[in-house]
Amino acid sequence: MTSHLDALENDRLRGFLRNAQADGPIMVVDSEVVRENYAKFARALPDTRVFYAVKANPAPEILQLLADLGSCFDCASVVEIDMALATGVSPDRISFGNTIKKERDVAAAFARGVRLFAVDCREEVEKIERAAPGSRVFCRILADGAGAEWPLSRKFGCVPEMAADVLEHAHVRGLTAYGVSFHVGSQQNNVGAWDAALASAAGIFAECERRGVYLSMVNLGGGFPTRYLKDIPAIDAYGAAIFEALKAHFGNRIPETIIEPGRGMVGNAGVIEAEVVLISKKSDAEDEIRWVYLDIGKFGGLAETMDEAIRYPIRTAHDGDAVAPCVLAGPTCDSADVMYEKAPYALPVSLSIGDKVLIEACGAYTTTYAAVAFNGFAPLASHVI
Amino acid sequence: MTSHLDALENDRLRGFLRNAQADGPIMVVDSEVVRENYAKFARALPDTRVFYAVKANPAPEILQLLADLGSCFDCASVVEIDMALATGVSPDRISFGNTIKKERDVAAAFARGVRLFAVDCREEVEKIERAAPGSRVFCRILADGAGAEWPLSRKFGCVPEMAADVLEHAHVRGLTAYGVSFHVGSQQNNVGAWDAALASAAGIFAECERRGVYLSMVNLGGGFPTRYLKDIPAIDAYGAAIFEALKAHFGNRIPETIIEPGRGMVGNAGVIEAEVVLISKKSDAEDEIRWVYLDIGKFGGLAETMDEAIRYPIRTAHDGDAVAPCVLAGPTCDSADVMYEKAPYALPVSLSIGDKVLIEACGAYTTTYAAVAFNGFAPLASHVI
């Protein structure tokens, strides 16, 4: 008998799911894949420190593994800082990378020993001055995000022209103006996307130097993709392109660098096993499209299907059978809980109610995005093996 | 000294918030407002049974109050059914109103005594036949939702032409073909929106009767609005328009009716007190817009700001001062966590970092929508007074 699990190439995940007794959707992360991803980043960017973006998946087992491998941590909140510290790492391996921080949270991070903070305006610099005196700050600049699949807004960062002012402000206030950061957009498929931002960064280094402020670090951010339905460049290709861009813009004075992979570190390490709750049509018309309803949706962990941005690979026990398009939706009573409709999803026509399906490349931005109890449904269950 | 709380008209909420010690955003629901709303529905639609849509806000205190007032409950899952039963109501006051149900969940509801189920296709009818034999079913039909502010998709319901077939299928399978349901779209500002759907329902009643299947109930759904920034019609006006439409389409054979208010029952009963974390600009240009970042956003409870659909009233201690537009965003490191940008929000220019603000009309679709731990932020705290 064919099982949907036969479609899964990873034996460890398959073995775990075969024995799992879950009434609802279940996510499993393979820590061995995370270990391989870390090694790939370390090889591709040998002189760059890795700050794992905790928000992508803060499972304690993942944080412990990465801590043991030597990773640092990019944290968005004091809770994430405490999660990172719980692995035993020293606070100098932690960056408070959110540009939007309450002053009392800056103070709480400072009290825990954190000395590295992101800013993108003078107002945030002044919070750091008061609550974390003497710390290092880096200024985030806007990058255009062309080539990225997950929408990038202007929410974080200032225009490059303002960055030198912000950093000089930090310097004058007794902080260490440490460097520049940017984000080229999540799920960035263009290895050349870092070039323009590095040109801006080099310009800010030069301008600061003219003002007597000496920067030393470029935070290259995240954006490294995971494989969904389309092939993606290897991490090595990103490393090579970034190194070329660093040489082009900084010459023989290449700065210290940091990366903040999240999706690229854990995305391909996780799968979700879900169940087909209903397959139906809205009318008896010959060409009416099927609606396939799963027991997971936009509010249960698949929030990145918002605007149909991230398109997950879905495997079934019927792969190889004839396929037809369907609208894919979640189980809640919310009209907006539809994953793929504008671009329908091709699934086997033989798919049946009650079948299990595997949603691949779900390791990042799923468990923590799940709604706490919408429609009474429990948040996504998660296991790390 | 002016407090942001002075902007709040409800003394009970104001008193509670004045004494609340919250480090993060906090929601408070005034049960007296829920009580008034229930009375208004009962007055406006005296012959209609109220099935409160539990998903709008399942706080136990709200369910208990509504149970005591005589309300029935529209439940989306077995967990919600258990929450309703915990108030002590008998299972004949519960409807399993989700058209997308696992067969084992239908069985679980049946075991608890629930005998009323929503369907919108033959496949779902067959689950009810097997797992809840002899129960009542109503068939949901598609309605166009024109005039509604929260997007309505084709996710629920079949075309009216298919409904008689679905209901006849139920009848043949030994179920009670009980009636028809529809939803005119959430936050529906047009009191006439029920008319077209009631015409369809009457047509389905007639067609079923021709086939020897006698329906007796119309479920008028929800859609009753709450007041955000714009005025809305009074509930009485909805009641009058619905009664006229019922008379027009059913003549002197007016069926039993049900409504499923959620937003209309609890929306205006709740406020969220939040904090301004940061106010900044992206450049030093004269006409650059302010970004105002709160400690609550799209992933912390304000999910209905998706596509800028629901526009909440926001009160500050500076109301009355000059205002200027701003982009309003949440505290997470997610680019998509922006509430109002396409249509910027006017807030006082005197608003400062650290100020508290009141977000009004937050009683519905907030607490349960909050992400479980995105970026390490705790889900929205909630109190019912």
Side-chain angles (χ1 to χ4, degrees), chain A residues 209-294:
Chain A
E209 196 169 321
R210 272 192 289 279
R211 303 185 191 185
V213 178
Y214 299 92
L215 307 181
S216 50
M217 187 275 289
V218 174
N219 179 339
L220 302 158
F224 306 97
T226 204
R227 191 184 185 285
Y228 295 107
L229 288 172
K230 285 181 279 189
D231 278 332
I232 55 166
I235 295 177
D236 284 342
Y238 288 89
I242 288 170
F243 185 61
E244 286 308 311
L246 279 166
K247 281 194 294 184
H249 300 297
F250 287 90
N252 60 358
R253 295 174 65 193
I254 291 185
E256 183 186 335
T257 49
I258 279 175
I259 52 171
E260 297 172 335
R263 190 188 304 279
M265 188 70 84
V266 295
N268 66 337
V271 300
I272 291 173
E273 186 183 63
E275 181 176 335
V276 177
V277 181
L278 179 64
I279 302 177
S280 64
K281 293 186 173 185
K282 300 289 164 192
S283 86
D284 291 323
E286 193 67 41
D287 59 348
E288 184 72 28
I289 194 166
R290 276 178 310 167
W291 280 65
V292 174
Y293 301 90
L294 302 180

Side-chain angles (χ1 to χ4, degrees), chain A residues 23 104 127 155 277 334 369, chain B residues 23 104 127 277 334 369:
Chain A
D23 186 54
R104 59 185 179 275
K127 290 182 199 168
K155 183 174 174 188
V277 181
D334 196 303
Y369 260 132
Chain B
D23 185 55
R104 58 184 179 276
K127 290 182 198 167
V277 182
D334 196 304
Y369 260 131

Side-chain angles (χ1 to χ4, degrees), chain A residues 22-25 55-56 58 75-77 79-80 83 97-105 120-124 127 140 142 150-159 161-162 165 275 277-284 288 291 293-295 298-299 303-304 306-307 329-338 341 353 356 365 367-379, chain B residues 22-25 55-56 58 75-77 79-80 83 97-105 120-124 127 140 142 150-159 161-162 165 275 277-284 288 291 293-295 298-299 303-304 306-307 329-338 341 353 356 365 367-379:
Chain A
D23 186 54
K55 60 184 174 290
C75 297
S77 64
V79 170
E80 286 193 356
M83 288 171 149
N98 193 339
T99 54
I100 308 152
K101 298 175 291 296
K102 290 181 181 172
E103 189 166 321
R104 59 185 179 275
D105 287 343
D120 67 359
C121 61
R122 295 177 189 80
E123 293 80 358
E124 198 74 12
K127 290 182 199 168
R140 179 150 169 184
L142 287 162
W150 179 241
L152 195 84
S153 71
R154 284 170 59 86
K155 183 174 174 188
F156 310 104
C158 60
V159 298
E161 297 70 35
M162 189 169 121
D165 294 339
E275 181 176 335
V277 181
L278 179 64
I279 302 177
S280 64
K281 293 186 173 185
K282 300 289 164 192
S283 86
D284 291 323
E288 184 72 28
W291 280 65
Y293 301 90
L294 302 180
D295 64 354
K298 207 181 254 181
F299 301 104
E304 289 205 315
M306 199 190 291
D307 298 326
T332 69
C333 281
D334 196 303
S335 265
D337 186 14
V338 176
E341 182 176 18
I353 294 171
K356 293 286 178 106
Y365 301 114
T367 49
T368 54
Y369 260 132
V372 64
F374 191 53
N375 276 221
F377 293 111
Chain B
D23 185 55
K55 60 183 173 291
C75 296
S77 64
V79 169
E80 286 194 354
M83 288 171 148
N98 193 339
T99 54
I100 308 153
K101 299 174 290 298
K102 292 181 181 172
E103 191 167 319
R104 58 184 179 276
D105 287 343
D120 67 359
C121 61
R122 294 177 190 83
E123 294 79 359
E124 198 74 12
K127 290 182 198 167
R140 179 150 169 185
L142 287 162
W150 179 242
L152 194 82
S153 71
R154 285 169 58 86
K155 183 174 175 188
F156 310 103
C158 59
V159 298
E161 297 70 36
M162 189 169 120
D165 293 340
E275 181 176 334
V277 182
L278 179 64
I279 302 176
S280 65
K281 293 186 174 186
K282 300 290 164 190
S283 85
D284 290 323
E288 184 72 28
W291 280 66
Y293 301 90
L294 302 180
D295 64 354
K298 208 182 253 181
F299 302 104
E304 290 205 315
M306 198 190 294
D307 298 327
T332 70
C333 281
D334 196 304
S335 265
D337 186 13
V338 176
E341 183 177 18
I353 295 172
K356 294 286 178 109
Y365 301 114
T367 50
T368 56
Y369 260 131
V372 63
F374 192 54
N375 276 221
F377 292 111

